Amino acid sequence: MQIETQIGPASTWRADALVLAAFEAAAGERPPFVAGLNAALPWLALCPAVDDFSGRAKQVMVAYGPRSWSIPRAILVGLGKFEQWDLDRWREALSAAFKTARELKIERLALAFPLFQGLPATPAAALDEGLAAGSLALYRYREHQTRDRDEAETGRQPTLVLCGEAPLEPADAEALRDLPAEVAGVELARDLVSGPSNQVTPSYLRARAQDLADTYGFRLEVIDREQAEALGMGAFAAVARGSREPACCIILEYAPSARAADPPLVLVGKGITFDSGGISLKPSAKLEAMKMDMAGAAAVLGTFHVIGRLRPDRRIIGIMPCTENMPDGKAYKPGDIIRSLSGQTIEVISTDAEGRMILCDALTYALRFEPAAIIDLATLTGACVVALGERVAGVMGNRDDLVKQVAELGSAVGEKFWPLPLWDFYFEDLKSDAADFKNVGERKAGSIIGGVFLKQFVPDRIPWVHLDIAGPAWTDRELPGIPKGASGFGVRTLWRLIRQSLTDAPLNRS
Ligand code: BES
Ligand code: MN
Ligand code: ZN
């Protein structure tokens, strides 16, 4: 993401096209364009395209001016009715504008500050969300396509030219400062989730973690399967045993020297690079989608990419248990009793509930850092997709204020979280006759039971939040700012959480 600014009279702005957004006008009237932009495009009033533009939601038109003009094109996007405006509409409109710019092979795309000031949101939020959505809408995963079906679709990004007569307010400029790093973090997560499981193996994730460590000076620690066994990570090792692909638990640490002894924020991400279900084999329909079962780990790596670029003043640790879940002569089996790193024993009912098996040992491992808080992200349950759909993640934990904070920060960046309860009585369903508890209950309350299972591994004194991202990690339809496929969900929320924790309760580092 490349951003340039041009400050000066509108007549001096230069670009290949300028984005103009407008709310829907009453019948017979022209939509009111944001004031202050006419000076940049004096030809626009003469252009008949404007007469055909109503400003209704999803409308996109291109208006052309004289070829020699400093800005010869306007991309007009409709925002729909003013009363119905929300950030998702806005993201959708900017996504549409950016995609049109790509079709036109626009190299320099202008966005003028007045555009972000006439909206029912703070200019900082409008700027942040508009540019993030527009830029991320152009994401493409083309690594394995050797026949380029459409040259214009290669994911090339225009240079964004931010134009204003006066500089941005400091608060708005600050919002902008983090944006390219956030976008790059989301793109990294999308690349990893998009990659097929024969490429994106645990070793591949480890190599990417190594790249980040080399680039940004993170400490990297890797626990392989034998070491995990020796350490007592029996639940992680049980899942790993069924795969020929070497498993590993990746630990990344970022610690500014003045903060090296602080209690860290720990981010835990599920890294199942392919989930066949194991011996409790999944049906083959849609099984190819299970390459995305490492989206939690991808979100943590994406967040570390942001951390490396923006260097927040707090200690953060990422833990990513990574393995395939496969059927094999050595695979763990229903009925097996597994001893977790915590010492608690687990009766395996379904080997397809492997996410909680690898996560529980990662959570216990996290405790050795005496965390200020733990946030885990996992494509944990199909039940969460049934309950909330593919745009919304479940959020649960042992601190209501933290759960609420995550949900609020998420909604500001278009990542939707909805709370689920973890009342103690749910644990009844996990009671086992043979071990401390089972790894699954009945079908009822599947996502909550997943959360209740994980809760057994987090002492009450440690604030903890579990994010079930099974729905939004991947989308089968295009969404505002998200092409079909991997979403990179979680990265922006985690970054906002880190940023906010530098100053605000309840995660304040001091
Ligand atoms: N990775 C799946 C969950 C999943 C399903 C993610 C659909 C994304 C889309 C997870 O490991 C799993 O198999 N969960 C089981 C849990 C059950 C055995 C309690 C499920 O959802 O069926
Ligand atoms: Mn599974
Ligand atoms: Zn899984």
Coordinates of all heavy atoms in Angstrom, one line a residue, residues 270 272 275 277 280 282 289-290 292-293 325 350-356 378-385 439-443 446 449 468-471 473, ligand 1:
K270 N -4.5 -21.4 16.4 CA -4.6 -22.8 16.0 C -4.0 -22.9 14.6 O -4.4 -22.2 13.7 CB -6.1 -23.2 15.9 CG -6.4 -24.5 15.2 CD -7.8 -24.9 15.3 CE -8.1 -26.2 14.4 NZ -9.5 -26.6 14.4
I272 N -3.7 -25.9 12.4 CA -3.9 -27.1 11.7 C -3.9 -26.9 10.2 O -4.8 -26.2 9.7 CB -5.3 -27.8 12.1 CG1 -5.3 -28.1 13.6 CG2 -5.6 -29.0 11.3 CD1 -4.5 -29.3 14.0
D275 N -7.1 -30.3 8.1 CA -7.9 -31.1 9.1 C -8.8 -32.1 8.3 O -9.9 -31.8 7.8 CB -8.8 -30.1 9.9 CG -9.7 -30.8 10.9 OD1 -9.4 -32.0 11.2 OD2 -10.5 -30.2 11.5
G277 N -10.0 -34.6 9.9 CA -10.8 -35.2 11.0 C -10.0 -36.3 11.7 O -10.4 -36.7 12.8
S280 N -11.6 -40.0 13.1 CA -13.0 -39.6 13.0 C -13.1 -38.8 11.7 O -13.4 -37.6 11.7 CB -13.4 -38.7 14.2 OG -13.0 -39.3 15.4
K282 N -13.6 -36.8 8.4 CA -14.7 -36.0 7.9 C -15.3 -36.5 6.6 O -14.5 -37.2 5.8 CB -14.2 -34.5 7.6 CG -13.9 -33.7 8.8 CD -13.4 -32.3 8.4 CE -13.0 -31.5 9.6 NZ -14.1 -31.1 10.5
A289 N -11.7 -27.3 1.8 CA -11.8 -26.0 2.7 C -10.9 -26.2 3.9 O -10.5 -25.2 4.5 CB -13.2 -25.7 3.0
M290 N -10.6 -27.4 4.3 CA -9.9 -27.6 5.6 C -8.4 -27.3 5.6 O -7.7 -27.4 6.5 CB -10.2 -29.0 6.1 CG -11.5 -29.1 6.8 SD -11.7 -28.0 8.2 CE -13.2 -27.1 7.7
M292 N -7.8 -24.3 5.4 CA -7.9 -23.0 6.1 C -7.9 -23.1 7.7 O -8.0 -22.2 8.4 CB -9.1 -22.2 5.7 CG -10.4 -22.9 5.9 SD -11.0 -22.8 7.6 CE -12.5 -21.9 7.3
D293 N -7.6 -24.4 8.1 CA -7.8 -24.6 9.6 C -6.6 -24.1 10.4 O -6.5 -24.3 11.6 CB -8.0 -26.1 9.8 CG -8.8 -26.4 11.0 OD1 -9.5 -25.5 11.5 OD2 -8.8 -27.5 11.5
N325 N -3.9 -32.8 10.9 CA -4.7 -33.8 11.6 C -5.1 -34.9 10.6 O -6.0 -34.7 9.7 CB -6.0 -33.1 12.2 CG -6.8 -34.1 13.0 OD1 -6.3 -35.1 13.6 ND2 -8.2 -33.9 13.0
S350 N -13.8 -37.7 19.8 CA -13.7 -37.4 18.4 C -12.3 -36.9 18.1 O -11.8 -35.9 18.7 CB -14.7 -36.4 17.9 OG -14.4 -36.0 16.6
T351 N -11.6 -37.5 17.2 CA -10.3 -37.0 16.8 C -10.4 -35.7 15.9 O -9.4 -35.1 15.6 CB -9.4 -38.0 16.0 OG1 -10.1 -38.3 14.8 CG2 -9.2 -39.3 16.8
D352 N -11.7 -35.5 15.6 CA -11.9 -34.3 14.8 C -12.0 -33.0 15.7 O -12.1 -31.9 15.2 CB -13.2 -34.4 14.0 CG -13.3 -33.5 12.8 OD1 -12.3 -32.8 12.5 OD2 -14.4 -33.4 12.2
A353 N -12.0 -33.2 17.0 CA -12.0 -32.1 17.9 C -10.5 -31.9 18.2 O -10.1 -31.9 19.4 CB -12.8 -32.3 19.1
E354 N -9.7 -31.7 17.2 CA -8.2 -31.7 17.4 C -7.8 -30.3 17.7 O -6.7 -30.1 18.4 CB -7.5 -32.1 16.1 CG -7.4 -31.1 15.0 CD -8.7 -30.5 14.4 OE1 -9.7 -31.2 14.6 OE2 -8.6 -29.4 13.8
G355 N -8.6 -29.3 17.4 CA -8.1 -27.9 17.6 C -7.9 -27.7 19.1 O -6.9 -27.1 19.6
R356 N -8.9 -28.1 19.9 CA -8.8 -27.9 21.3 C -7.7 -28.7 22.0 O -7.1 -28.3 23.0 CB -10.2 -28.2 22.0 CG -10.7 -29.6 21.8 CD -12.1 -29.7 22.0 NE -12.9 -29.1 21.0 CZ -14.3 -29.2 20.9 NH1 -15.0 -29.7 21.9 NH2 -14.9 -28.6 19.9
A378 N -9.1 -19.4 16.8 CA -9.1 -20.8 16.3 C -10.3 -20.9 15.4 O -11.4 -20.5 15.7 CB -9.1 -21.8 17.4
T379 N -10.1 -21.6 14.3 CA -11.3 -22.1 13.5 C -11.7 -23.4 14.2 O -11.5 -24.5 13.7 CB -10.8 -22.4 12.0 OG1 -9.6 -23.2 12.1 CG2 -10.6 -21.1 11.2
L380 N -12.4 -23.2 15.3 CA -12.6 -24.3 16.2 C -13.8 -25.2 15.9 O -13.7 -26.4 16.1 CB -12.6 -23.8 17.7 CG -12.3 -24.9 18.7 CD1 -10.8 -25.2 18.6 CD2 -12.6 -24.5 20.1
T381 N -14.9 -24.6 15.6 CA -16.1 -25.4 15.5 C -17.0 -25.0 14.3 O -17.3 -23.8 14.1 CB -17.0 -25.3 16.8 OG1 -17.5 -23.9 16.9 CG2 -16.3 -25.7 18.0
G382 N -17.5 -26.1 13.6 CA -18.5 -25.8 12.6 C -19.8 -25.3 13.2 O -20.5 -24.5 12.6
A383 N -20.0 -25.6 14.5 CA -21.2 -25.1 15.2 C -21.2 -23.6 15.2 O -22.3 -23.0 15.2 CB -21.2 -25.7 16.6
C384 N -20.1 -23.0 15.3 CA -20.0 -21.5 15.3 C -20.5 -20.9 14.0 O -21.1 -19.8 13.9 CB -18.6 -21.0 15.6 SG -18.5 -19.4 16.4
V385 N -20.2 -21.6 12.9 CA -20.6 -21.2 11.6 C -22.1 -21.3 11.5 O -22.8 -20.5 10.9 CB -19.9 -22.0 10.4 CG1 -20.1 -21.3 9.1 CG2 -18.5 -22.2 10.7
N439 N -13.2 -34.8 25.2 CA -12.8 -33.7 24.3 C -14.0 -33.1 23.5 O -13.9 -32.1 22.9 CB -11.6 -34.0 23.4 CG -12.0 -34.9 22.2 OD1 -13.0 -35.6 22.2 ND2 -11.2 -34.8 21.1
V440 N -15.2 -33.8 23.6 CA -16.4 -33.3 23.0 C -17.6 -33.7 23.9 O -17.5 -34.6 24.6 CB -16.7 -33.7 21.5 CG1 -15.5 -33.5 20.6 CG2 -17.0 -35.2 21.5
G441 N -18.7 -32.9 23.7 CA -19.9 -33.2 24.4 C -20.9 -33.8 23.4 O -20.5 -34.6 22.5
E442 N -22.1 -33.6 23.6 CA -23.1 -33.9 22.6 C -23.0 -32.9 21.5 O -22.1 -32.1 21.5 CB -24.5 -33.9 23.2 CG -24.6 -34.7 24.5 CD -24.5 -36.2 24.3 OE1 -25.1 -36.7 23.3 OE2 -23.7 -36.8 25.0
R443 N -23.9 -32.9 20.6 CA -23.9 -31.8 19.5 C -24.3 -30.5 20.0 O -23.9 -29.5 19.4 CB -24.8 -32.2 18.4 CG -24.1 -33.2 17.4 CD -25.1 -33.8 16.5 NE -25.7 -32.8 15.6 CZ -25.2 -32.5 14.4 NH1 -24.0 -33.0 14.0 NH2 -25.7 -31.6 13.6
G446 N -22.1 -26.6 20.6 CA -20.8 -27.0 20.2 C -19.7 -26.0 20.4 O -18.6 -26.3 20.8
I449 N -19.1 -25.4 24.2 CA -18.4 -26.5 24.7 C -16.9 -26.5 24.4 O -16.0 -26.8 25.2 CB -19.0 -27.9 24.3 CG1 -20.5 -28.0 24.7 CG2 -18.2 -29.1 24.7 CD1 -20.6 -28.2 26.2
D468 N -13.6 -17.8 18.3 CA -13.9 -18.9 17.3 C -14.1 -18.3 16.0 O -15.2 -17.7 15.7 CB -15.1 -19.8 17.8 CG -15.2 -21.1 17.0 OD1 -14.7 -21.1 15.8 OD2 -15.7 -22.0 17.5
I469 N -13.1 -18.4 15.1 CA -13.2 -17.7 13.8 C -13.5 -18.6 12.6 O -13.2 -18.3 11.5 CB -11.9 -16.9 13.5 CG1 -10.6 -17.9 13.5 CG2 -11.6 -15.8 14.5 CD1 -9.4 -17.2 12.9
A470 N -14.1 -19.8 13.0 CA -14.4 -20.8 11.9 C -15.3 -20.2 10.8 O -15.1 -20.5 9.6 CB -15.2 -22.0 12.5
G471 N -16.2 -19.3 11.1 CA -17.0 -18.7 10.1 C -16.3 -17.7 9.2 O -16.1 -17.9 8.0
A473 N -13.1 -16.8 8.8 CA -11.7 -16.9 8.3 C -11.7 -17.1 6.8 O -10.7 -16.8 6.2 CB -11.1 -18.2 9.0
Ligands
BES1 N1 -11.7 -27.3 11.9 C1 -12.9 -27.8 12.4 C2 -14.0 -26.7 12.5 C3 -14.4 -26.0 11.3 C4 -15.5 -26.4 10.6 C5 -13.7 -24.9 10.9 C6 -16.0 -25.7 9.5 C7 -14.2 -24.2 9.7 C8 -15.3 -24.6 9.1 C9 -12.7 -28.4 13.8 O1 -11.5 -29.0 14.0 C10 -13.7 -29.5 13.9 O2 -13.7 -30.5 13.1 N2 -14.7 -29.3 14.8 C11 -15.7 -30.3 15.0 C12 -15.9 -30.4 16.5 C13 -16.8 -31.5 16.9 C14 -16.0 -32.8 16.6 C15 -17.1 -31.4 18.4 C16 -16.9 -29.9 14.2 O3 -17.2 -28.6 14.1 O4 -17.7 -30.7 13.8

